[in-house]
Amino acid sequence: MSTDEKRERAFFSFEIFPPKRDMPLETVYRTLDELADLEPDFISVTCGAGGSADGSNHRTIEVASAIQNKYHREGIAHLPCIHFCRADVLSMLDELEKNGVRKILALRGDRVPDLTPKEDFRHASDLIAFIREHAKDRFQIFAACYPEGHIEAPDLDTDIQNLRRKVDAGVDRLISQLFFDNEFFYTFLEKSRRAGIRVPIEAGIMPVTNKKQIERMVTLCGATLPRKFQRVLAKYESQPDALRDAGIAFATEQIVDLLAHGVDGVHLYTMNNPYIARKISETVRTLL
Ligand SMILES: Cc1cc2nc3c(=O)[nH]c(=O)nc-3n(C[C@H](O)[C@H](O)[C@H](O)COP(=O)(O)OP(=O)(O)OC[C@H]3O[C@@H](n4cnc5c(N)ncnc54)[C@H](O)[C@@H]3O)c2cc1C
Protein backbone atom coordinates (compact mmCIF):
# COMPACT_ATOMS: atom_id res chain seq x y z
CA MET A 1 0.00 0.00 0.00
CA SER A 2 1.39 3.44 -0.90
CA THR A 3 1.73 6.23 1.67
CA ASP A 4 -1.11 8.08 -0.05
CA GLU A 5 -3.48 5.11 0.34
CA LYS A 6 -2.76 4.87 4.07
CA ARG A 7 -3.59 8.52 4.70
CA GLU A 8 -6.92 9.44 6.11
CA ARG A 9 -6.52 13.19 6.47
CA ALA A 10 -6.80 15.64 3.60
CA PHE A 11 -3.64 16.92 1.89
CA PHE A 12 -2.73 20.56 2.40
CA SER A 13 -0.27 21.93 -0.15
CA PHE A 14 1.05 25.19 -1.61
CA GLU A 15 1.91 26.62 -5.03
CA ILE A 16 4.68 29.17 -5.51
CA PHE A 17 6.29 30.74 -8.57
CA PRO A 18 10.06 31.07 -9.12
CA PRO A 19 11.66 34.51 -9.35
CA LYS A 20 12.22 35.94 -12.83
CA ARG A 21 15.56 35.07 -14.38
CA ASP A 22 17.09 38.47 -13.63
CA MET A 23 16.09 38.29 -9.95
CA PRO A 24 18.18 36.51 -7.32
CA LEU A 25 16.91 33.11 -6.12
CA GLU A 26 17.21 34.39 -2.52
CA THR A 27 13.87 36.20 -2.91
CA VAL A 28 12.03 32.88 -3.15
CA TYR A 29 14.09 31.37 -0.33
CA ARG A 30 12.76 34.03 2.02
CA THR A 31 9.25 32.90 1.08
CA LEU A 32 10.17 29.23 1.40
CA ASP A 33 11.76 29.73 4.83
CA GLU A 34 8.29 30.59 6.09
CA LEU A 35 6.19 28.26 3.95
CA ALA A 36 8.24 25.16 4.81
CA ASP A 37 7.66 25.89 8.51
CA LEU A 38 3.94 25.40 7.92
CA GLU A 39 4.67 21.75 7.01
CA PRO A 40 2.63 21.45 3.80
CA ASP A 41 2.37 17.98 2.23
CA PHE A 42 4.09 19.40 -0.84
CA ILE A 43 5.00 22.67 -2.52
CA SER A 44 4.57 22.97 -6.28
CA VAL A 45 6.59 25.35 -8.44
CA THR A 46 5.09 26.92 -11.56
CA CYS A 47 6.93 27.10 -14.87
CA GLY A 48 6.46 29.78 -17.54
CA ALA A 49 4.78 28.30 -20.64
CA GLY A 50 7.81 29.35 -22.70
CA GLY A 51 9.51 26.37 -21.04
CA SER A 52 12.82 25.51 -22.56
CA ALA A 53 12.54 28.30 -25.16
CA ASP A 54 12.95 31.04 -22.57
CA GLY A 55 14.78 28.98 -19.95
CA SER A 56 12.00 29.24 -17.35
CA ASN A 57 12.21 25.48 -16.76
CA HIS A 58 15.69 25.88 -15.21
CA ARG A 59 14.37 28.14 -12.46
CA THR A 60 11.55 25.68 -11.78
CA ILE A 61 14.04 22.82 -11.44
CA GLU A 62 16.28 24.88 -9.13
CA VAL A 63 13.44 25.87 -6.82
CA ALA A 64 11.80 22.40 -6.75
CA SER A 65 15.21 20.91 -5.94
CA ALA A 66 15.72 23.38 -3.11
CA ILE A 67 12.31 22.49 -1.66
CA GLN A 68 13.37 18.85 -1.71
CA ASN A 69 16.96 19.13 -0.53
CA LYS A 70 17.28 22.40 1.42
CA TYR A 71 13.82 22.51 3.01
CA HIS A 72 13.22 18.75 3.16
CA ARG A 73 9.65 19.01 1.90
CA GLU A 74 8.18 17.35 -1.18
CA GLY A 75 8.72 19.55 -4.26
CA ILE A 76 6.65 19.34 -7.44
CA ALA A 77 7.89 20.78 -10.73
CA HIS A 78 5.25 22.08 -13.15
CA LEU A 79 5.98 21.09 -16.73
CA PRO A 80 3.91 22.87 -19.41
CA CYS A 81 4.74 21.01 -22.63
CA ILE A 82 3.40 23.14 -25.48
CA HIS A 83 6.81 24.72 -26.19
CA PHE A 84 8.83 21.60 -25.32
CA CYS A 85 10.13 18.89 -27.61
CA ARG A 86 10.67 15.31 -26.43
CA ALA A 87 14.41 15.87 -25.87
CA ASP A 88 13.63 18.88 -23.61
CA VAL A 89 11.28 16.76 -21.52
CA LEU A 90 13.80 13.93 -21.18
CA SER A 91 16.47 16.38 -20.10
CA MET A 92 14.14 17.98 -17.53
CA LEU A 93 13.18 14.55 -16.14
CA ASP A 94 16.83 13.68 -15.88
CA GLU A 95 17.67 16.89 -13.97
CA LEU A 96 14.74 16.43 -11.61
CA GLU A 97 15.60 12.83 -10.91
CA LYS A 98 19.23 13.71 -10.18
CA ASN A 99 17.96 16.21 -7.63
CA GLY A 100 15.54 13.80 -5.99
CA VAL A 101 12.38 15.51 -7.29
CA ARG A 102 9.95 12.73 -8.17
CA LYS A 103 6.72 14.66 -8.58
CA ILE A 104 5.63 16.46 -11.74
CA LEU A 105 2.55 18.50 -12.57
CA ALA A 106 2.16 17.65 -16.26
CA LEU A 107 0.46 20.44 -18.23
CA ARG A 108 -0.17 21.54 -21.76
CA GLY A 109 0.42 25.22 -20.96
CA ASP A 110 -0.86 28.12 -23.03
CA ARG A 111 0.55 29.58 -26.23
CA VAL A 112 3.17 32.26 -25.70
CA PRO A 113 2.86 35.15 -28.19
CA ASP A 114 5.67 35.18 -30.81
CA LEU A 115 6.67 31.61 -29.97
CA THR A 116 5.67 28.77 -32.27
CA PRO A 117 4.46 25.74 -30.33
CA LYS A 118 6.51 22.59 -30.84
CA GLU A 119 4.55 19.71 -32.29
CA ASP A 120 5.57 16.87 -30.01
CA PHE A 121 2.79 17.30 -27.41
CA ARG A 122 -0.67 18.57 -28.34
CA HIS A 123 -2.40 17.80 -25.04
CA ALA A 124 -1.22 17.18 -21.49
CA SER A 125 -2.24 13.53 -22.00
CA ASP A 126 0.48 13.18 -24.71
CA LEU A 127 3.08 14.37 -22.20
CA ILE A 128 1.78 12.06 -19.48
CA ALA A 129 1.88 9.01 -21.79
CA PHE A 130 5.43 10.00 -22.83
CA ILE A 131 6.63 10.29 -19.21
CA ARG A 132 5.05 6.95 -18.33
CA GLU A 133 6.68 5.32 -21.34
CA HIS A 134 10.15 6.66 -20.58
CA ALA A 135 10.26 6.91 -16.80
CA LYS A 136 7.73 4.18 -15.93
CA ASP A 137 6.73 4.73 -12.27
CA ARG A 138 9.76 6.73 -11.22
CA PHE A 139 7.65 9.91 -11.09
CA GLN A 140 4.35 10.60 -9.42
CA ILE A 141 2.32 12.48 -12.02
CA PHE A 142 -0.13 15.22 -11.12
CA ALA A 143 -2.36 16.98 -13.68
CA ALA A 144 -4.76 19.93 -13.81
CA CYS A 145 -8.55 19.86 -13.81
CA TYR A 146 -11.21 22.54 -14.14
CA PRO A 147 -14.31 22.64 -11.88
CA GLU A 148 -16.07 25.07 -14.25
CA GLY A 149 -14.66 23.41 -17.39
CA HIS A 150 -11.50 24.46 -19.23
CA ILE A 151 -11.96 27.74 -21.06
CA GLU A 152 -11.46 26.12 -24.51
CA ALA A 153 -13.81 23.18 -23.86
CA PRO A 154 -17.33 23.41 -25.35
CA ASP A 155 -18.87 22.29 -22.04
CA LEU A 156 -18.04 20.68 -18.69
CA ASP A 157 -19.07 17.16 -19.76
CA THR A 158 -16.76 17.21 -22.79
CA ASP A 159 -13.93 18.53 -20.64
CA ILE A 160 -14.48 15.70 -18.14
CA GLN A 161 -14.36 13.13 -20.98
CA ASN A 162 -10.98 14.60 -21.97
CA LEU A 163 -9.92 14.56 -18.34
CA ARG A 164 -10.73 10.86 -18.14
CA ARG A 165 -8.42 10.27 -21.15
CA LYS A 166 -5.72 12.26 -19.42
CA VAL A 167 -6.07 10.31 -16.16
CA ASP A 168 -6.04 7.01 -18.06
CA ALA A 169 -2.71 8.02 -19.64
CA GLY A 170 -1.13 7.69 -16.17
CA VAL A 171 -2.15 10.43 -13.71
CA ASP A 172 -1.85 9.79 -9.96
CA ARG A 173 -3.50 12.93 -8.61
CA LEU A 174 -5.37 15.99 -9.86
CA ILE A 175 -5.19 19.61 -8.74
CA SER A 176 -8.02 21.92 -9.66
CA GLN A 177 -8.08 25.37 -11.16
CA LEU A 178 -9.09 28.10 -8.68
CA PHE A 179 -12.80 28.61 -8.01
CA PHE A 180 -14.76 30.82 -5.60
CA ASP A 181 -18.04 28.94 -5.35
CA ASN A 182 -17.67 25.46 -3.84
CA GLU A 183 -20.84 24.26 -5.54
CA PHE A 184 -18.96 24.20 -8.87
CA PHE A 185 -16.37 21.91 -7.30
CA TYR A 186 -18.96 19.53 -5.80
CA THR A 187 -20.81 19.19 -9.11
CA PHE A 188 -17.51 18.63 -10.91
CA LEU A 189 -16.48 15.98 -8.35
CA GLU A 190 -19.73 14.11 -8.73
CA LYS A 191 -19.56 14.17 -12.54
CA SER A 192 -15.89 13.12 -12.53
CA ARG A 193 -16.54 10.17 -10.22
CA ARG A 194 -19.49 9.16 -12.41
CA ALA A 195 -17.18 9.34 -15.45
CA GLY A 196 -14.90 6.79 -13.76
CA ILE A 197 -12.17 9.18 -12.57
CA ARG A 198 -10.94 7.61 -9.32
CA VAL A 199 -7.70 9.45 -8.51
CA PRO A 200 -7.64 11.97 -5.61
CA ILE A 201 -8.66 15.50 -6.61
CA GLU A 202 -7.33 18.51 -4.70
CA ALA A 203 -9.27 21.75 -4.60
CA GLY A 204 -7.25 24.78 -5.76
CA ILE A 205 -7.96 27.85 -3.63
CA MET A 206 -6.66 31.35 -4.27
CA PRO A 207 -6.96 33.90 -1.47
CA VAL A 208 -7.72 37.18 -3.22
CA THR A 209 -5.70 40.18 -2.13
CA ASN A 210 -5.74 42.41 -5.17
CA LYS A 211 -8.74 43.37 -7.30
CA LYS A 212 -6.91 43.94 -10.59
CA GLN A 213 -4.93 40.74 -10.26
CA ILE A 214 -8.01 38.61 -9.66
CA GLU A 215 -9.96 40.25 -12.47
CA ARG A 216 -7.11 39.42 -14.86
CA MET A 217 -6.98 35.87 -13.53
CA VAL A 218 -10.70 35.16 -13.92
CA THR A 219 -10.64 36.59 -17.44
CA LEU A 220 -7.81 34.19 -18.31
CA CYS A 221 -9.26 31.08 -16.70
CA GLY A 222 -13.00 31.75 -16.85
CA ALA A 223 -13.72 31.24 -13.12
CA THR A 224 -16.93 32.80 -11.81
CA LEU A 225 -16.64 35.55 -9.18
CA PRO A 226 -19.72 35.22 -6.94
CA ARG A 227 -21.78 38.36 -6.28
CA LYS A 228 -20.98 38.34 -2.55
CA PHE A 229 -17.27 38.40 -3.35
CA GLN A 230 -17.66 41.11 -5.99
CA ARG A 231 -19.20 43.28 -3.24
CA VAL A 232 -16.16 42.69 -1.01
CA LEU A 233 -13.82 43.65 -3.88
CA ALA A 234 -15.79 46.79 -4.67
CA LYS A 235 -15.90 47.95 -1.05
CA TYR A 236 -12.27 47.31 -0.11
CA GLU A 237 -10.37 47.69 -3.40
CA SER A 238 -8.54 50.81 -2.20
CA GLN A 239 -7.81 49.49 1.32
CA PRO A 240 -5.10 46.84 0.82
CA ASP A 241 -5.08 45.53 4.41
CA ALA A 242 -8.86 45.26 4.58
CA LEU A 243 -8.99 43.51 1.19
CA ARG A 244 -6.23 41.12 2.26
CA ASP A 245 -8.10 40.23 5.45
CA ALA A 246 -11.39 39.82 3.58
CA GLY A 247 -9.61 37.57 1.03
CA ILE A 248 -8.17 35.43 3.82
CA ALA A 249 -11.59 35.16 5.53
CA PHE A 250 -13.33 34.20 2.26
CA ALA A 251 -10.72 31.55 1.35
CA THR A 252 -10.76 30.15 4.90
CA GLU A 253 -14.54 29.80 4.81
CA GLN A 254 -14.29 28.00 1.46
CA ILE A 255 -11.67 25.61 2.85
CA VAL A 256 -13.64 24.84 6.03
CA ASP A 257 -16.63 23.90 3.87
CA LEU A 258 -14.47 21.79 1.52
CA LEU A 259 -12.90 19.88 4.40
CA ALA A 260 -16.29 19.30 6.02
CA HIS A 261 -17.35 17.91 2.65
CA GLY A 262 -14.48 15.40 2.85
CA VAL A 263 -12.33 16.59 -0.09
CA ASP A 264 -9.05 14.81 -0.83
CA GLY A 265 -6.98 17.93 -0.30
CA VAL A 266 -6.62 21.68 -0.63
CA HIS A 267 -3.93 23.32 -2.76
CA LEU A 268 -3.34 26.95 -1.83
CA TYR A 269 -2.21 29.33 -4.57
CA THR A 270 0.01 31.35 -2.21
CA MET A 271 1.22 33.95 -4.76
CA ASN A 272 4.48 33.74 -2.75
CA ASN A 273 2.80 35.44 0.21
CA PRO A 274 3.70 33.53 3.39
CA TYR A 275 1.63 35.83 5.64
CA ILE A 276 -1.58 34.70 3.92
CA ALA A 277 -0.54 31.04 3.88
CA ARG A 278 0.26 31.21 7.60
CA LYS A 279 -3.04 32.84 8.58
CA ILE A 280 -5.04 30.25 6.66
CA SER A 281 -2.90 27.32 7.85
CA GLU A 282 -3.31 28.37 11.48
CA THR A 283 -7.08 28.23 11.17
CA VAL A 284 -7.51 25.07 9.11
CA ARG A 285 -4.63 22.92 10.44
CA THR A 286 -6.75 21.14 13.07
CA LEU A 287 -9.49 20.43 10.51
CA LEU A 288 -7.32 18.37 8.14
C1 LIG B 1 -3.15 23.54 -10.91
C2 LIG B 1 -2.72 24.25 -12.16
C3 LIG B 1 -1.38 24.63 -12.32
C4 LIG B 1 -0.96 25.26 -13.50
N1 LIG B 1 0.35 25.63 -13.63
C5 LIG B 1 0.80 26.17 -14.78
C6 LIG B 1 2.18 26.47 -14.99
O1 LIG B 1 3.02 26.30 -14.10
N2 LIG B 1 2.57 26.99 -16.19
C7 LIG B 1 1.66 27.19 -17.20
O2 LIG B 1 2.08 27.63 -18.27
N3 LIG B 1 0.34 26.94 -17.05
C8 LIG B 1 -0.13 26.43 -15.87
N4 LIG B 1 -1.45 26.13 -15.72
C9 LIG B 1 -2.41 26.51 -16.77
C10 LIG B 1 -2.59 25.43 -17.86
O3 LIG B 1 -1.38 25.24 -18.55
C11 LIG B 1 -3.69 25.90 -18.81
O4 LIG B 1 -4.93 25.89 -18.13
C12 LIG B 1 -3.80 25.21 -20.15
O5 LIG B 1 -4.70 25.97 -20.96
C13 LIG B 1 -4.35 23.79 -20.12
O6 LIG B 1 -3.47 22.91 -19.58
P1 LIG B 1 -3.89 21.37 -19.29
O7 LIG B 1 -2.68 20.69 -18.87
O8 LIG B 1 -5.09 21.31 -18.44
O9 LIG B 1 -4.29 20.93 -20.80
P2 LIG B 1 -5.07 19.68 -21.44
O10 LIG B 1 -5.37 18.63 -20.44
O11 LIG B 1 -4.30 19.32 -22.63
O12 LIG B 1 -6.45 20.35 -21.82
C14 LIG B 1 -6.50 21.56 -22.60
C15 LIG B 1 -7.79 21.61 -23.42
O13 LIG B 1 -7.77 20.57 -24.42
C16 LIG B 1 -8.88 19.70 -24.26
N5 LIG B 1 -8.37 18.33 -24.51
C17 LIG B 1 -7.55 17.63 -23.70
N6 LIG B 1 -7.27 16.43 -24.26
C18 LIG B 1 -7.94 16.40 -25.44
C19 LIG B 1 -8.06 15.45 -26.49
N7 LIG B 1 -7.42 14.28 -26.42
N8 LIG B 1 -8.83 15.76 -27.57
C20 LIG B 1 -9.48 16.96 -27.65
N9 LIG B 1 -9.40 17.90 -26.68
C21 LIG B 1 -8.63 17.63 -25.61
C22 LIG B 1 -9.37 19.89 -22.82
O14 LIG B 1 -10.78 19.61 -22.71
C23 LIG B 1 -9.07 21.36 -22.60
O15 LIG B 1 -10.07 22.18 -23.14
C24 LIG B 1 -1.91 25.53 -14.53
C25 LIG B 1 -3.26 25.16 -14.36
C26 LIG B 1 -3.67 24.54 -13.19
C27 LIG B 1 -5.12 24.16 -13.01
Side-chain angles (χ1 to χ4, degrees):
M1 194 188 278
S2 74
T3 327
D4 289 1
E5 282 168 316
K6 272 189 270 168
R7 295 170 58 104
E8 283 183 8
R9 69 173 185 83
F11 273 71
F12 190 58
S13 57
F14 297 148
E15 178 187 280
I16 60 165
F17 52 83
K20 293 210 171 74
R21 277 203 300 167
D22 52 354
M23 297 289 287
L25 265 183
E26 280 59 39
T27 53
V28 82
Y29 291 155
R30 280 196 291 278
T31 304
L32 279 169
D33 286 342
E34 292 195 52
L35 290 183
D37 258 8
L38 303 175
E39 302 188 341
D41 290 293
F42 59 81
I43 302 176
S44 80
V45 187
T46 64
C47 180
S52 65
D54 64 11
S56 43
N57 54 333
H58 295 303
R59 273 277 148 113
T60 301
I61 296 171
E62 271 177 293
V63 177
S65 303
I67 292 169
Q68 198 75 34
N69 302 309
K70 176 168 152 68
Y71 293 95
H72 307 292
R73 311 294 325 167
E74 292 284 335
I76 303 193
H78 293 207
L79 203 173
C81 60
I82 190 167
H83 295 289
F84 277 76
C85 65
R86 291 191 183 91
D88 297 328
V89 170
L90 288 177
S91 137
M92 191 160 168
L93 294 181
D94 197 40
E95 275 299 297
L96 290 169
E97 204 166 2
K98 272 194 216 140
N99 284 287
V101 179
R102 297 298 182 94
K103 289 178 168 34
I104 287 176
L105 176 54
L107 299 150
R108 186 198 68 181
D110 288 317
R111 252 192 104 142
V112 175
D114 303 327
L115 211 59
T116 313
K118 303 257 170 80
E119 298 200 338
D120 288 0
F121 306 104
R122 282 192 60 213
H123 301 292
S125 53
D126 301 330
L127 172 67
I128 291 158
F130 180 77
I131 298 174
R132 281 286 175 240
E133 185 190 339
H134 287 270
K136 305 286 182 277
D137 290 332
R138 298 203 302 281
F139 288 91
Q140 195 181 10
I141 302 180
F142 291 59
C145 62
Y146 301 84
E148 298 182 58
H150 183 258
I151 197 148
E152 293 164 25
D155 52 61
L156 181 60
D157 291 335
T158 310
D159 199 36
I160 289 176
Q161 282 166 23
N162 291 331
L163 181 63
R164 169 76 201 258
R165 284 197 203 118
K166 177 156 82 173
V167 170
D168 287 349
V171 169
D172 295 300
R173 241 185 133 79
L174 292 166
I175 301 182
S176 90
Q177 180 60 280
L178 59 91
F179 57 91
F180 299 100
D181 178 346
N182 290 358
E183 293 309 317
F184 285 119
F185 189 74
Y186 301 144
T187 304
F188 165 77
L189 263 187
E190 204 184 304
K191 286 184 174 225
S192 299
R193 296 310 183 209
R194 246 190 279 135
I197 295 170
R198 304 269 169 255
V199 297
I201 304 180
E202 287 201 36
I205 297 295
M206 175 172 283
V208 174
T209 56
N210 178 309
K211 185 167 182 270
K212 281 215 176 71
Q213 176 195 49
I214 201 60
E215 284 173 349
R216 199 179 75 87
M217 200 79 82
V218 297
T219 309
L220 284 176
C221 76
T224 305
L225 263 185
R227 286 267 269 292
K228 69 172 178 175
F229 199 65
Q230 287 181 25
R231 278 197 292 275
V232 173
L233 286 175
K235 182 156 171 74
Y236 298 114
E237 66 175 307
S238 53
Q239 298 172 57
D241 288 357
L243 183 56
R244 179 200 63 202
D245 291 346
I248 291 172
F250 193 90
T252 305
E253 195 183 315
Q254 262 193 289
I255 296 171
V256 170
D257 180 59
L258 287 162
L259 294 173
H261 201 272
V263 295
D264 296 315
V266 173
H267 189 62
L268 207 61
Y269 295 106
T270 71
M271 304 302 288
N272 291 20
N273 186 327
Y275 174 85
I276 290 170
R278 180 173 295 280
K279 285 281 176 201
I280 293 177
S281 297
E282 280 169 2
T283 311
V284 305
R285 177 66 54 194
T286 53
L287 313 179
L288 295 172

